[in-house]
Amino acid sequence: MSAVLAAATTSTGEAFQFWVLGTVAVFGALGTILMRKAVHSALSLAGTMIILAVFYLANGAYFLGIVQIVVYTGAIMMLFLFVVMLVGVTAADSLKETLRGQRWWAALCGLGFGILLAGGIGHASLQEFAGLGAANAAQGGNVEGLAALVFTKYVFAFEITGALLITAAVGAMVLTHRERTEKARTQRELAEQRVRRGTQVPPLPAPGVYARHNAVDVAGLLPDGTPSELTVMQTLRKRGQIRDVSPDALADLKALEQRSEERLGRDRDEEEANR
């Protein structure tokens, strides 16, 4: 009787864990759709996935919790995050509608999903909790029980899902592969093309401030101390991630000139004194 009551009630620690982590998960989900930068949205979604994994582990679904962290958060989301950072998706790109009326359709779909979710939660019975203890004990553990279901009752659905994933991976490789239809131009040909155009005869300058900095987010300085726009990527400039070090460099240059003048002045005074 005590075991049944323990399974049907919620302890203080479980309630505290649910309300704290659930609130963080909701904020992470809202941040995923409300953040203007794709990198921030991906990080918010990764945090929500990690909290869901904690919920799975707390409810006895150990295999699902580990898969949630290793596969979804550790592999898929991090791969998505790296791709976004390498490609350079800006906030301005997300404002362009490639399909007419896609926002209205997205709003209607979200409203319909919210109505279905509210209806399901409203008709849910929360009087008794059907935990995983009995199911795990019947097969000797959570991993063993899940393996028995996947490879017996749901083996065809599992194989079809695997075939779909493999087909999607092969299709992605086929779509992204582009065979070169023309011969790659050499450095000499590229140099001759720049000379003919007359726009940028030498190669583009490297990022950094003279030879003292080699960061890609620091623009090189021109002889008058102003930053050169050709030394940084346009993606970083649109994101607002360019560090302007020209005032510091000009201040250092001014201090160097002042020290030089003071040094030269002392040298002149010493020469006049010696004479």
Side-chain angles (χ1 to χ4, degrees), residues 3-4 6-8 14 56-62 129-146:
V4 176
E14 291 176 345
Y56 293 147
L57 295 174
N59 286 283
Y62 305 113
F129 293 92
L132 295 177
N136 294 338
Q139 299 293 337
N142 177 256
V143 178
E144 290 80 358
L146 185 61

Side-chain angles (χ1 to χ4, degrees), residues 90-257:
T90 62
D93 297 335
S94 61
L95 301 178
K96 299 178 182 178
E97 291 192 12
T98 56
L99 300 176
R100 186 182 300 273
Q102 62 177 357
R103 296 187 178 181
W104 292 104
W105 284 106
L108 291 176
C109 292
L111 180 61
F113 179 75
I115 294 174
L116 292 177
L117 184 62
I121 295 176
H123 290 82
S125 177
L126 301 178
Q127 296 179 357
E128 296 182 0
F129 293 92
L132 295 177
N136 294 338
Q139 299 293 337
N142 177 256
V143 178
E144 290 80 358
L146 185 61
L149 290 176
V150 169
F151 294 106
T152 55
K153 185 178 180 180
Y154 301 103
V155 62
F156 292 105
F158 179 75
E159 296 295 337
I160 292 174
T161 304
L164 289 176
L165 292 176
I166 294 175
T167 305
V170 174
M173 289 188 293
V174 171
L175 292 176
T176 55
H177 178 69
R178 294 289 185 272
E179 293 186 2
R180 187 179 296 275
T181 58
E182 57 184 8
K183 183 180 177 182
R185 289 177 295 180
T186 61
Q187 293 292 335
R188 182 181 180 86
E189 293 174 350
L190 293 175
E192 292 176 354
Q193 182 180 3
R194 289 197 300 267
V195 172
R196 292 190 185 99
R197 292 178 179 178
T199 55
Q200 181 68 34
V201 177
L204 293 176
V209 183
Y210 297 121
R212 298 184 298 169
H213 211 297
N214 59 352
V216 296
D217 59 345
V218 177
L221 299 182
L222 298 175
D224 58 350
T226 58
S228 175
E229 296 184 357
L230 299 176
T231 57
V232 292
M233 296 175 57
Q234 294 297 325
T235 302
L236 296 178
R237 186 173 298 279
K238 292 180 180 179
R239 289 178 179 176
Q241 298 177 347
I242 303 300
R243 290 186 293 170
D244 187 9
V245 297
S246 56
D248 298 335
L250 291 177
D252 295 342
L253 183 60
K254 184 177 180 181
L256 179 61
E257 293 177 350

